[in-house]
Amino acid sequence: MTTLSRYGGAALTVVAATFAAACGGTTEADTTAAGTPETTTSTAASEVATAQPRLALTYDGGVLVVDEEELTVVDDFALDGFNRLSPAGDGRHVLVSTEGGFRALDTGSWTEAHGDHGHHYAGAPALTDLTFAAEKPGHVVPHAGVTALFDDGTGRIDVFDPADLASATDLPDLDSHALPDAHHGVAVPMPDGGMLVTLGDSEERTGVALLDEKGTEITRTEQCPGVHGETVAADGVVAFGCEDGMVIFHDGTFTKAPVPDPYGRIGNQAGSEDSPVVLGDYKTDPDAELERPERVALVDTRTASVRLVDLGTSYTFRSLGRGPAGEALVLGTDGNLHVIDPGSGEIVRRIEVLEPWTEPDEWQAPRPALEVRGDTAFVTDPATDSLYAVDVTSGEIRSAELPHTPNEISGVA
């Protein structure tokens, strides 16, 4: 049975040594690499007239912080190894999955509410020394006002209030949940203090369980072989990808959305609180070392039904996103951003962004990646060391050159 304990900063480490990354967010696989970081101390913030939201981008040897509006590099932090990025959940920090744990990167941009208006602040970014300890840091899931960190190496789940990161000197207190077996998993906090957790061990992953606030199992489903990733949809739905479809959780009940193929893996998902339909990748060859699919899955969480859409081009696990009105977005290897109506499955627009490209054989290798922030879809291009900002509604494109070859990209929301 899952056990819980509560503890504070003593369960965390402050590190400035070697690091390596593991799977985070909605990405595909487990992983590795190491290096020695350099840190920067944040300077005093200043109030600005408008918000200055920022992106984080990894490259071989560090992390860039980029202004979303100007596409200019605000700061550049040296950090060796293959590092992963995930939003911390507070609209300000990004967590860098690296050897030793999840390290907090302060983008230096945030908003505070004052009466009927918010005050926007922009300060110097900082790759802090604040690290949540993890043997093999995996998925980061902000949900229901808190953030869950999953340690693939131990099966431990640490839950914290991301608003507490703003102190910049002390790490937040944690609620710690120990699963029976370590595995490459994910946890989703629920509004009532419970959580959804994956079931599995080092050999296989089989499903999802609902735990109450004390860690007692309430219900489970084992109808999700190879469970991987999670996302949310309209009406409080949480969805998990399986090797034969998707598991949908709503109002205390699990429902399976089956696929037409014996093996139809939805390993990466993109949801929107504005849409009951979840976008997922779709792979049908269980023996492929590298499958380049050309169909995506649209899963209607109301009816547990799956619609497959043929794009006419392949894509990768970093190609999925959702638009400002819940549009399903897919960055294809044909260089186009495909805009799909999630209700009808119709491709309503193709926006040419990049030259055609080929997915690399190694999943850690840089390839174009998509990050959607509001009305804007940000697209990286490792071939030209460029960053593009695409207005999803108008199709207008802005671009800028980067000082390094980009790999992963993340916003803070």
Side-chain angles (χ1 to χ4, degrees):
M1 177 177 291
T2 302
T3 58
L4 291 83
S5 63
R6 182 167 183 86
Y7 53 89
L12 308 168
T13 56
V14 177
V15 297
T18 57
F19 297 90
C23 183
T26 57
T27 52
E28 184 77 20
D30 303 334
T31 63
T32 69
T36 303
E38 297 178 2
T39 62
T40 299
T41 301
S42 179
T43 60
S46 60
E47 186 174 345
V48 293
T50 59
Q52 294 182 331
R54 291 165 177 170
L55 300 164
L57 298 91
T58 62
Y59 64 89
D60 185 8
V63 182
L64 298 174
V65 176
V66 175
D67 183 281
E68 288 187 13
E69 297 299 325
E70 302 298 329
L71 302 185
T72 53
V73 175
V74 180
D75 221 326
D76 184 347
F77 300 100
L79 184 63
D80 289 343
F82 177 73
N83 301 294
R84 317 301 307 279
L85 299 173
S86 303
D90 65 343
R92 173 174 173 175
H93 291 80
V94 170
L95 295 181
V96 184
S97 296
T98 191
E99 186 175 333
F102 303 89
R103 189 174 180 183
L105 169 64
D106 186 348
T107 67
S109 179
W110 69 98
T111 301
E112 292 181 358
H114 292 277
D116 295 331
H117 304 283
H119 287 181
H120 307 290
Y121 297 86
L127 181 59
T128 75
D129 287 331
L130 308 179
T131 298
F132 296 85
E135 182 177 304
K136 194 174 185 181
H139 283 269
V140 177
V141 179
H143 192 249
V146 295
T147 299
L149 310 177
F150 198 101
D151 185 350
D152 291 351
T154 63
R156 190 183 75 241
I157 302 160
D158 291 330
V159 180
F160 68 97
D161 183 345
D164 292 340
L165 283 174
S167 67
T169 56
D170 296 310
L171 285 161
D173 289 343
L174 298 179
D175 281 325
S176 181
H177 308 249
L179 297 182
D181 297 290
H183 62 280
H184 179 52
V186 66
V188 182
M190 301 305 291
D192 63 359
M195 69 170 57
L196 294 164
V197 299
T198 50
L199 302 171
D201 55 31
S202 60
E203 300 297 323
E204 63 177 351
R205 303 188 299 273
T206 58
V208 184
L210 172 66
L211 311 180
D212 67 15
E213 69 278 6
K214 296 181 180 180
T216 302
E217 183 174 308
I218 299 172
T219 185
R220 69 163 56 192
T221 176
E222 296 189 67
Q223 303 301 311
C224 192
V227 57
H228 185 272
E230 57 72 39
T231 194
V232 298
D235 199 25
V237 168
V238 182
F240 298 82
C242 316
E243 292 177 348
D244 58 356
M246 181 171 282
V247 157
I248 299 162
F249 179 81
H250 184 233
D251 284 344
T253 301
F254 291 107
T255 305
K256 182 64 174 287
V259 291
D261 299 287
Y263 180 91
R265 183 176 189 265
I266 304 176
N268 299 277
Q269 314 83 26
S272 168
E273 293 183 354
D274 295 321
S275 173
V277 178
V278 170
L279 169 67
D281 59 358
Y282 191 71
K283 295 184 175 182
T284 58
D285 186 353
D287 300 317
E289 291 188 10
L290 175 61
E291 183 175 354
R292 293 184 169 94
E294 295 193 357
R295 292 183 295 173
V296 293
L298 294 175
V299 183
D300 191 324
T301 60
R302 298 165 300 183
T303 59
S305 59
V306 179
R307 181 198 302 269
L308 300 178
V309 178
D310 192 341
L311 296 176
T313 185
S314 63
Y315 59 94
T316 80
F317 67 93
R318 291 186 184 149
S319 293
L320 307 180
R322 302 303 292 266
E327 305 96 326
L329 306 178
V330 184
L331 180 64
T333 58
D334 60 356
N336 291 324
L337 182 64
H338 299 255
V339 182
I340 306 170
D341 182 327
S344 67
E346 178 186 0
I347 301 174
V348 296
R349 191 172 193 179
R350 290 182 174 92
I351 305 173
E352 185 177 347
V353 184
L354 309 175
E355 293 295 324
W357 51 281
T358 301
E359 180 181 2
D361 292 336
E362 296 295 329
W363 76 265
Q364 297 97 332
R367 83 280 308 283
L370 174 67
E371 170 72 13
V372 185
R373 301 269 289 146
D375 296 336
T376 305
F378 293 93
V379 176
T380 61
D381 186 6
T384 61
D385 294 348
S386 298
L387 174 65
Y388 295 87
V390 183
D391 187 301
V392 175
T393 303
S394 69
E396 179 184 353
I397 299 176
R398 299 176 288 121
S399 66
E401 292 187 8
L402 298 170
H404 305 285
T405 301
N407 196 334
E408 289 211 345
I409 179 172
S410 176
V412 295

